[in-house]
């Protein structure tokens, strides 16, 4: 390594924040500016080594964790609450000719950046780094065109002729596929669709005025594919060598349509569509870009393809201006949709790879998940089942073996919380044993459970342990009837839950195989495990290590940064549980009716059912839209556990401030 390289390495490469800032500035200068950039670099090093500027320790582009102030005053969609389509159409109808921009106005993409489409094309071409190369070729084509004609207006032919020359790619094939992909992924803006139809019904003249490298025929085909009928005229920059950015395209429109007419133009680019149209005699109507509005609230600490699709879908749906949603709906759509979609993908893939005979979505968390799974994989309806199971039922049915957990949850988790003995014994369904305890210890049913008497209560129950278990005999027989039908012919089933210790699947596995002797292996699938902040962070490690339990988003083994971030003490478990809450009471247990058949009983629902249904509605809308985006491209659609968690990071960083007005919807059961 030369001395120059050594100096460069010391000054540039040692500190991520310095390296990123220097390289960004270096691209912006040339000529004498190179002297200034060295001074800038020295200044950054002094800031780090002398003044200990901490923000230089990490990359601006890739901070360890994002911290965004999410919009919590009301629903996020209220930011983009526009005049109704009827009102806008009425205002536009006062003009003789109404001009429309195309991209980000009439049509939207399910991406936060237009260039995200190039990742998909690069995948089809099997070409590494294609997205960046495609962007580079476009800029080079514009520079080349400007040197010849003093115009930057190019078309796809110009781009792909150059790209073909500089790569081994068949330019004609790639050009055709890009246009086809635009047709496949673009969709009509539902707000503008209504505006256009209202104007069409009034017989208004509507024209297209677009700065774009797609030509007129391609724009026509794209609009038609999105559901728009023909417009009266099309004025496209690459065909006319005029642009809205320069303003001469507006003059051309007026010349062709008639200078004496009154014009209106609507578009998303403030300079091109608002300022320039106004300069040339058009009444401007600004339609704010959905991604520009949503960008401050969307996470970027995600993989580029999943992140781009997620942000694009959310921004287009929440900020197109047609609807103003409730905060509960948005909580489901924005923060739950990606997670539920990805979790179902994870469950599906695991079931396929491990020859799972039956997927058991455990109540109540499984209610939402089973509905989403049906949307994503309708062909597998016979392979999964929404089943009744709960912590309460599990404690009773597995008490013979998991005696320690039985006492811990029924007794020790309730000490010094004003629970009376009659409430404790009622929850255990041992009310007839309470009299013996009171007689033996001098208590009354009103005596409260405390740290002073809990051991005596436990010892009493230990001395009559056989009668305790006999109380649950009927429930065991009823449960065997219920699961016997579901697991008939199954040798390996997966039990799906939110988490956290994964006790639901473990207890079910014990009861199925030891109490009921069904000989069916049960693997637990959880969204997340106990984290490092939990009092029992290692509770499930044996099961995770041997593969009898797997986690989607994080565990000690994977995504340890999230394992360290997630903190139940700060309410983080609650945030996730709210997404999977169900509009029903928690499951109490299995019982036998008069005919000896299994009867399932539930506690009364204490939750706000309407708000829970709103959360679920938001989740389901996202699931459907995400599936529609990717279609059969399953290899491009996979959502990693780390990406699924990313939108929630900013909520958790706000330490509860975002959750006001949302968190009270849940049914807080003491033992489920």
């Amino acid at each position: 390594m030369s001395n120059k390289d050594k100096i460069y390495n010391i000054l540039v490469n040692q500190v991520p924040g310095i390296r990123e800032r220097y390289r960004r500035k270096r691209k912006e200068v040339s000529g004498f500016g190179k002297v200034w950039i060295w001074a800038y670099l020295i200044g950054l090093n002094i800031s780090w080594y002398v003044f200990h500027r901490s923000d230089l320790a990490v990359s601006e582009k890739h901070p360890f964790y994002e911290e965004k102030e999410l919009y919590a005053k009301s629903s996020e969609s209220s930011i983009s609450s526009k005049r109704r389509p009827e009102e806008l159409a009425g205002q536009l109808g006062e003009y003789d000719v109404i001009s429309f921009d195309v991209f980000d106005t009439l049509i939207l993409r399910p991406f936060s950046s237009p260039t995200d489409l190039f990742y998909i094309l690069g995948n089809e071409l099997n070409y590494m780094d294609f997205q960046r190369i495609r962007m580079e070729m476009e800029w080079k084509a514009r520079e080349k065109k400007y040197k010849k004609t003093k115009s930057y207006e190019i078309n796809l032919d110009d781009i792909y002729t150059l790209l073909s020359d500089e790569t081994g790619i068949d330019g004609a094939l790639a050009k055709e596929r890009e246009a086809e992909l635009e047709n496949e992924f673009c969709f009509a803006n539902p707000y503008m669709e209504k505006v256009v139809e209202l104007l069409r019904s009034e017989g208004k003249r509507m024209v297209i005025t677009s700065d774009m490298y797609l030509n007129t025929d391609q724009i026509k085909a794209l609009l038609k594919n999105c559901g728009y009928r023909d417009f009266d005229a099309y004025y496209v920059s690459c065909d006319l060598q005029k642009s809205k950015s320069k303003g001469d395209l507006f003059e051309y429109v007026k010349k062709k349509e008639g200078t004496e007419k009154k014009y209106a133009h609507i578009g998303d680019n403030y300079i091109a569509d608002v300022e320039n149209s106004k300069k040339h005699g058009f009444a401007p109507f600004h339609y704010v870009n959905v991604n520009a509005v949503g960008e401050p609230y969307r996470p970027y600490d995600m993989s580029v393809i999943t992140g781009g699709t997620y942000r694009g879908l959310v921004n287009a749906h929440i900020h197109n201006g047609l609807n103003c949603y409730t905060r509960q709906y948005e909580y489901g759509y924005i923060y739950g949709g990606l997670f539920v979609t990805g979790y179902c993908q994870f469950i599906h893939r695991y079931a396929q790879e491990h020859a799972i005979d039956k997927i058991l979505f455990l109540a109540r968390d499984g209610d939402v998940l089973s509905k989403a799974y049906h949307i994503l994989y309708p062909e597998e309806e016979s392979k999964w089942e929404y089943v009744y199971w709960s912590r309460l039922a599990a404690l009773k049915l597995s008490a013979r073996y998991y005696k320690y957990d039985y006492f811990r949850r029924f007794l020790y988790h309730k000490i010094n919380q004003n629970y009376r003995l009659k409430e404790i014994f009622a929850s255990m369904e041992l009310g007839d044993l309470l009299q013996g305890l009171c007689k033996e210890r001098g208590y009354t049913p009103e005596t409260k459970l405390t740290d002073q008497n809990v051991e005596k209560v436990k010892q009493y129950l230990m001395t009559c342990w056989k009668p305790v278990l006999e109380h649950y005999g009927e429930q065991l027989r009823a449960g065997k009837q219920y699961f016997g039908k579901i697991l008939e012919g199954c040798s390996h089933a997966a039990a799906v839950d939110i988490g956290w210790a994964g006790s639901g699947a473990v207890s079910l596995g014990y009861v199925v195989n030891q109490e009921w002797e069904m000989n069916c292996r049960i693997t637990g699938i959880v969204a997340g495990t106990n984290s490092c902040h939990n009092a029992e962070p290692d509770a499930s490690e044996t099961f995770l290590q041997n593969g009898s339990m797997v986690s989607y988003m994080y565990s000690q083994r994977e995504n340890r940064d999230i394992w360290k971030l997630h903190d139940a003490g700060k309410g983080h478990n609650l945030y996730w549980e709210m997404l999977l809450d169900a509009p029903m009471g928690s499951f109490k247990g299995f019982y036998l009716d008069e005919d000896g058949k299994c009867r399932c009983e539930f506690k009364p629902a204490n939750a706000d059912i309407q708000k829970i249904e709103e959360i679920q509605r938001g989740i389901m809308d996202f699931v459907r839209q995400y599936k529609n985006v990717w279609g059969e491209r399953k290899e491009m659609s996979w959502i990693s556990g780390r990406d699924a968690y990313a939108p929630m990071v900013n909520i958790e960083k706000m330490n509860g401030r975002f959750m006001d007005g949302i968190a009270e919807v849940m049914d807080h059961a003491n033992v489920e």
Side-chain angles (χ1 to χ4, degrees), residues 122-123 125-134 167 169:
N123 175 63
L125 297 172
N126 196 30
Y127 210 94
M128 185 176 289
D129 202 24
F130 179 81
Q131 187 261 4
R132 187 194 59 78
I133 294 170
R134 166 62 177 78
T167 69
I169 295 171

Side-chain angles (χ1 to χ4, degrees), residues 388-403 406 410 428-429 465 468-483 507-512 514-516 587-591 598:
Y388 298 128
W389 192 247
S390 66
R391 185 177 298 163
L392 175 57
L395 286 174
K396 293 180 291 182
L397 300 190
S398 64
R400 187 188 312 277
Y401 189 66
Y402 292 118
K403 184 190 295 187
Y406 178 88
F410 273 129
M428 302 165 83
E429 300 179 43
W465 188 239
V468 169
L469 294 180
E470 287 174 351
H471 278 71
Y472 305 133
E474 175 190 319
Q475 296 184 42
L476 276 166
R477 293 192 297 275
K480 185 174 183 179
Q481 276 189 32
Y482 177 81
F483 274 98
S507 59
L508 180 61
Y510 163 76
V511 175
V512 164
Q514 303 304 317
E515 296 288 350
W516 296 333
F587 178 60
K588 182 180 178 182
F590 305 104
Y591 302 88
C598 177

Side-chain angles (χ1 to χ4, degrees), residues 512-528:
V512 164
N513 291 292
Q514 303 304 317
E515 296 288 350
W516 296 333
E517 299 179 339
M518 292 183 179
N519 194 28
C520 178
R521 176 184 168 194
I522 303 292
T523 295
I525 301 180
V526 295

Side-chain angles (χ1 to χ4, degrees), residues 150-299:
K150 300 302 178 183
S151 170
Y152 286 108
E153 298 308 315
I154 58 173
N155 57 31
L156 280 183
D157 287 332
D158 298 322
I159 296 170
Y160 278 98
T161 296
L162 183 61
L163 187 144
S164 181
D165 290 341
E166 297 202 14
T167 69
I169 295 171
D170 182 334
L173 173 64
K175 176 190 71 173
E176 182 180 352
R177 281 303 296 146
E178 179 173 327
E180 290 172 351
L181 288 173
E182 290 282 20
N183 275 284
E184 180 179 340
F185 284 94
C186 288
F187 57 93
N189 180 341
Y191 180 89
M192 284 299 167
E193 196 172 25
K194 288 185 177 295
V195 171
V196 169
E197 286 307 307
L198 287 166
L199 291 170
R200 196 182 300 278
S201 67
E202 296 295 325
K204 302 303 298 186
R205 183 168 178 80
M206 294 180 288
V207 303
I208 295 300
T209 309
S210 176
D211 282 355
M212 190 58 186
Y213 47 71
L214 295 179
N215 62 35
T216 300
D217 289 339
Q218 290 164 334
I219 292 287
K220 280 184 178 180
L222 185 56
L223 288 166
K224 184 176 182 180
N225 189 65
C226 288
Y228 289 101
R229 287 182 279 171
D230 286 340
F231 286 80
D232 296 298
Y234 298 81
Y235 302 100
V236 181
S237 62
C238 69
D239 287 340
L240 300 173
Q241 293 301 293
K242 303 177 189 298
S243 70
K244 293 183 295 182
S245 299
K246 288 176 61 178
D248 53 354
L249 185 56
F250 289 117
E251 288 299 323
Y252 184 83
V253 172
K254 288 168 63 178
K255 180 180 178 181
K256 297 295 289 185
E257 296 289 331
T259 56
E260 75 287 353
K261 294 179 180 178
K262 290 174 60 180
Y263 291 87
H265 177 74
I266 184 165
D268 71 292
N269 187 293
Y270 193 79
I271 295 175
D273 292 312
V274 178
E275 292 184 351
N276 286 355
S277 69
K278 187 176 182 180
K279 287 178 184 178
H280 294 275
F282 285 67
F285 289 79
H286 189 205
Y287 181 83
V288 182
N289 187 298
V290 295
N291 287 304
V293 185
E295 190 274 338
Y297 314 112
R298 300 286 82 78

Side-chain angles (χ1 to χ4, degrees), residues 528-656:
T529 67
N530 282 352
S531 74
C532 69
H533 303 288
N534 193 279
E536 299 142 356
D538 305 329
S540 309
E541 282 309 300
T542 302
F543 301 97
L544 291 161
Q545 184 71 26
N546 67 28
S548 59
M549 186 183 299
V550 292
S551 178
Y552 170 52
M553 292 191 295
Y554 67 86
S555 66
Q556 290 190 27
R557 297 158 59 85
E558 296 178 358
N559 296 329
R560 280 181 63 87
D561 66 315
I562 296 299
W563 181 73
K564 295 175 182 178
L565 172 72
H566 189 96
D567 189 347
K570 294 181 179 179
H572 296 174
N573 282 8
L574 175 65
Y575 301 165
W576 292 97
E577 290 167 9
M578 284 173 52
L579 293 169
L580 302 189
D581 204 6
M584 63 190 70
S586 59
F587 178 60
K588 182 180 178 182
F590 305 104
Y591 302 88
L592 294 175
D593 61 21
E594 294 179 354
D595 297 325
K597 294 182 179 180
C598 177
R599 181 185 76 257
C600 296
E601 290 190 8
F602 303 84
K603 290 184 176 182
N606 297 321
D608 190 324
I609 292 177
Q610 185 176 0
K611 290 181 178 179
I612 287 174
E613 289 175 341
E614 274 289 279
I615 291 174
Q616 287 201 4
R617 188 168 70 90
I619 290 173
M620 295 307 148
D621 281 353
F622 183 94
V623 171
R624 292 186 189 93
Q625 290 172 16
Y626 192 88
K627 180 182 180 181
N628 288 340
V629 167
W630 290 112
E632 297 302 316
R633 290 186 174 83
K634 290 185 171 59
E635 78 284 357
M636 297 291 285
S637 73
W638 297 116
I639 301 165
S640 73
R642 184 61 180 82
D643 280 341
Y645 199 101
M648 193 68 78
V649 170
N650 284 304
I651 288 182
E652 294 175 353
K653 288 289 184 178
M654 289 180 68
N655 296 320

